[in-house]
Structure formats: C-alpha cells, structure tokens
Amino acid sequence: MIQTSDLVPVLPEIFIALAGLALLMLGVFRKEDSTKSVSVLVILAFGAAMVLVSSLGAERLTAFNGLFVADRFAGFAKGLVLVASAIALAMSLPYLEREKIGRFEYPVLVLFATLGMMMMISANDFIALYLGLELQSLSLYVLAAYNRDNAKATEAGLKYFVLGSLASGLLLYGISLLYGFAGTTSFEGLANLFAGGHEHPVKPNMGVIAGLVFVLAGLSFKVSAVPFHMWAPDVYEGAPTPVTSFFAVAPKIAALCLLTRVMTGPFADLVEQWRQVVTFIAIGSMFVGAFAAVVQTNIKRLMAYSSIGHVGFVLVGIAAGSTLGIQGVLIYLAIYLFMNVGVFAVVLSMRQKGRLVEGIDDLAGLSKTHPMMAFVMAVLMFSMAGVPPLAGFWGKFYVFMAAVEAGQFTLAIIGLLSSVVSAYYYLRIIKVMYFDEPVEAFDKPVGASMSLVMAVSTIVILAFTLIPAPLVTSAKAAAQVLFPAAG
C-alpha cells in the first residue's frame, strides 16, 4: 500500500512523468507540427521540477520501503541534470528546424530520459537503480538514431543499443551475484552486512567481489570509461549534433553520480576491494582520453575522447573514497557541464552555406571571421586543458587534492601527466582558430539561443575563480550526506 509520505520525496519525478504523458498526448492530437511548443513546455517542466527538488530541503527522505531516497546529494545531482537537459534541448531547436527533422517526440524522449536519470540518482536499491537506468537508456537509444534517414545516425543508434544491452546484462549478472551471496538488493541492507552491523555479517568473499566487479563494469559502460568506451566516439560522431551535446552532459553526470552513490553507499566498507578497480579504470580513461584524441580531425570524435578523459579525472575523486573526493567530483561535474554545453554551442554554430561542418580545420581563422565565437572557444579550451585560473583548473585541483589526501600519490601524478598531454589537442584548436588562415567563413547570424549559451558558459568559467563559494559550499554539503560519520 502506498503511503502519502511516500509521494513527497518523489514529487519531482511524478511531476515529470505526468508532464511527459500530457505532452505526448498534446503532440499526438495537435494537427500542425508542435515540436517548438512541446519543447518550450518541456523546458518549463524542467524548471518546475527544479523548484520541486529544491523545496524538499536538506532532510533525508525515503519512499517505497527504502527503494527511493531524496537527500542533498540527490538534489545537487538532479539540479545539474535538469539544467543540462534544459540547455541541450534549447540548443536542439534551431538545428531541428533547419534540418527539417523536427518532431514532437524529440523533446518528449529527452523528458523521459531525464526522468530515468532522476530515478537513477535517487535509487537506494539495485532494483530501483535498474529501472531508472533502463528508462534513461531506452530513450537514449532512440535519440541516437533520431535522424532515421541518415545512415550514420542509424548505425550510431544500433551500436549504442547492442553494446548497451551487453552492459545491462553485465550489470544484472553482477546484481544477481550480490543478491545470491548477500540476500538483499537494498543499499542500506548491503552496507549493514558488509560493515558487520548485522547478526550474520557477510565477508567480502569471491562471489561478492565478482558481483561488485560486474556492477562496476556495467556502470562504467554508462559513463564511457575505459575499457568500456568503444561506443562513445562512433555514437558521438554519428548521432545528430544536438543529441551528442545531450549525451555529453546529462546522462554522463547522472551515471557518475549514480556510480558515486553505489561505491560510497552499499560498498563503503569494501573500499579497499573496489578502489583498485576504479583506479585502473581511471588511469585507462585518462590515458585513452589524452592520447587517442591527438589524432582526431572530427571535433565531435575529439569531444568523445575528451569526455572519456574527463570521466577518468572524476573517477580519481571517487577512488579517493572520502568527503573531499566526492566534493571534488561534484565541483568537477558542475564545471564540466558548462564547459561542454559551451563547446557544443560553438559546434552547432559551425555552418557553411547552410551545411553543418564538423572538421577541426573548419575552425581555421575563426578569430578573424567570428572573433567573439573564437574567444568563447578559446576560454573553454583553456579551461578544459586545466589552465589556471579558469574553472577547469580548479575542477582538477579538487580531485587531485583528494587523491593526495587519501594517499593515492601515483594516481594524482598520472592524472597530472595525462592532463599535460591532453592540453596539446585543446591548444591545437586555439592555434587553428588564431594562427591559421580562414578557408571559408561560417554563416551568420549564430542564433539567440546559441549566443546565450556561449555567453553564460564563458561567464561561469571565468567567474568561478572569483566567486567559488556557492558551488564549493553546496558540493561539500551534498558530499557529507554520503559520509554521515565523517560529517
């Protein structure tokens, strides 16, 4: 029987679900094309959901017999996901209109994907985790192949679906192993068993460790961490550019927050067992992200490898296994969000004679033809490279500092070295924009939504150094929820 108290923590998700159903019916029964009106309503729904999330306050609330949890960590992560989804959808509209592929299903799919992400972030049980993950994934598979008349987009959707199904299988197998050896799928139940707070404590035997590794493998695919990254470059390149911009931010942030909760919740007392796996994945992701991107000529593929590298840096914070580490993760994800949407706003503005171009060489001489766009791209590239005093530097600083405090000196040094290597391809883009001769100028005007996203992203990246307190304080409060004893 559902209690009334169960509905309060889930209000944002219930609202998003009802909005999705209502907008789906609106799109079906309206005779004319309703892509724009439905998209605007979806963005407004995200805004309303943000208000509902913030209204829940700092108190930890659970629903449905502990399957669902709403706390400060979930509130912070959901805020990032809702902002990322809203911005990505706003950036999609001009593209859908120009390419004449606008259909009302697009914003509705983004809405349901976001609902899945919000459920993932608040999951307090592996069953709830899987439901949220699959709701998100099924929507994303369709979005990847959204431009059904384009062979590359269809191929991207098919690759993502096949490899995603494999990852879901690995995750389910890991969950079944954990259930078999521990007798529960509840995060709190597992945490008590492993901590010895139960009358029949479970020691970390081979079955539990194997289950943990399979769960990590399944979740690593969702964040495109090495060695489960093979889908990302092809899907990023093949999917429509606005879909790629969505993939690069919201699902990645949600999956990394989910991974953080899983590692620091049910497996908090097995930190020595999972830390070495996470460290290996982090090192692999940083190295592949740094070296594989060097040879890329397509900017969307480059951004795919860049995102793999950034996942590696975030995993450094998770590997630290401390409040400081998770605080660093949340700060990094907030900064990563604005860096990525800014870059994709520039990529979506790269049009020559009405045709979208994606080559890095197409940016040649941008400083002479579009000086403001070149300035935005330069600021974002310097920030991604981790050049002080821009926000990207502080994101890396916090996760490396957490690694050093946790005694993970080797991991911090490797992260620093891979950051230096990755700076090469970010700086190469700046060199192409400022020192190469222009071949063909981009079309004007850029568009109001793109200009706004570029302006806001640049201001956030430049202003973080001067006003870090709001983000740092809220990230610390959110991280302490996962470590109540330390808090």
Side-chain angles (χ1 to χ4, degrees), residues 408-441:
Q408 303 287 302
F409 301 108
T410 309
L411 185 58
I413 291 166
I414 290 171
L416 200 60
L417 292 174
S418 66
S419 188
V420 171
V421 174
S422 64
Y424 165 77
Y425 58 81
Y426 294 128
L427 298 178
R428 184 183 63 164
I429 292 175
I430 297 170
K431 174 256 176 192
V432 168
M433 291 190 302
Y434 280 88
F435 298 105
D436 287 10
E437 285 303 312
V439 181
E440 189 174 348

Side-chain angles (χ1 to χ4, degrees), residues 58 94 205 283:
N205 55 39
I283 291 170

Side-chain angles (χ1 to χ4, degrees), residues 233-440:
D234 291 340
V235 172
Y236 273 46
E237 184 184 7
T241 306
V243 174
T244 305
S245 68
F246 179 56
F247 280 5
V249 282
K252 193 143 288 188
I253 291 169
L256 283 165
C257 289
L258 171 66
L259 182 62
T260 301
R261 192 185 283 280
V262 170
M263 292 298 104
T264 56
F267 304 122
D269 285 277
L270 304 185
V271 63
E272 294 308 318
Q273 279 75 26
W274 59 254
R275 178 180 276 156
Q276 51 196 320
V277 182
V278 172
T279 300
F280 167 75
I281 294 171
I283 291 170
S285 300
M286 289 187 292
F287 267 38
V288 169
F291 288 99
V294 170
V295 296
Q296 300 304 318
T297 56
N298 181 291
I299 197 158
K300 283 164 70 177
R301 284 187 78 86
L302 183 139
M303 289 305 294
Y305 284 110
S306 167
S307 78
I308 292 166
H310 286 298
V311 165
F313 294 124
V314 172
L315 290 173
V316 171
I318 295 175
S322 63
T323 308
L324 186 64
I326 306 311
Q327 180 188 1
V329 166
L330 295 175
I331 292 169
Y332 199 108
L333 290 176
I335 293 166
Y336 170 85
L337 160 61
F338 286 100
M339 290 192 300
N340 265 267
V341 294
V343 169
F344 276 101
V346 174
V347 174
L348 280 161
S349 303
M350 290 168 59
R351 303 187 76 85
Q352 292 173 349
K353 296 177 182 173
R355 185 178 58 89
L356 201 67
V357 290
E358 298 170 0
I360 293 171
D361 292 338
D362 293 312
L363 289 163
L366 190 65
S367 61
K368 299 178 182 69
T369 56
H370 287 70
M372 285 311 296
M373 198 193 294
F375 172 74
V376 168
M377 193 68 161
V379 167
L380 296 171
M381 288 295 110
F382 276 128
S383 182
M384 282 191 162
V387 174
L390 300 172
F393 165 78
W394 294 107
K396 290 178 182 175
F397 173 78
Y398 278 104
V399 292
F400 290 158
M401 188 168 68
V404 169
E405 193 187 68
Q408 303 287 302
F409 301 108
T410 309
L411 185 58
I413 291 166
I414 290 171
L416 200 60
L417 292 174
S418 66
S419 188
V420 171
V421 174
S422 64
Y424 165 77
Y425 58 81
Y426 294 128
L427 298 178
R428 184 183 63 164
I429 292 175
I430 297 170
K431 174 256 176 192
V432 168
M433 291 190 302
Y434 280 88
F435 298 105
D436 287 10
E437 285 303 312
V439 181
E440 189 174 348

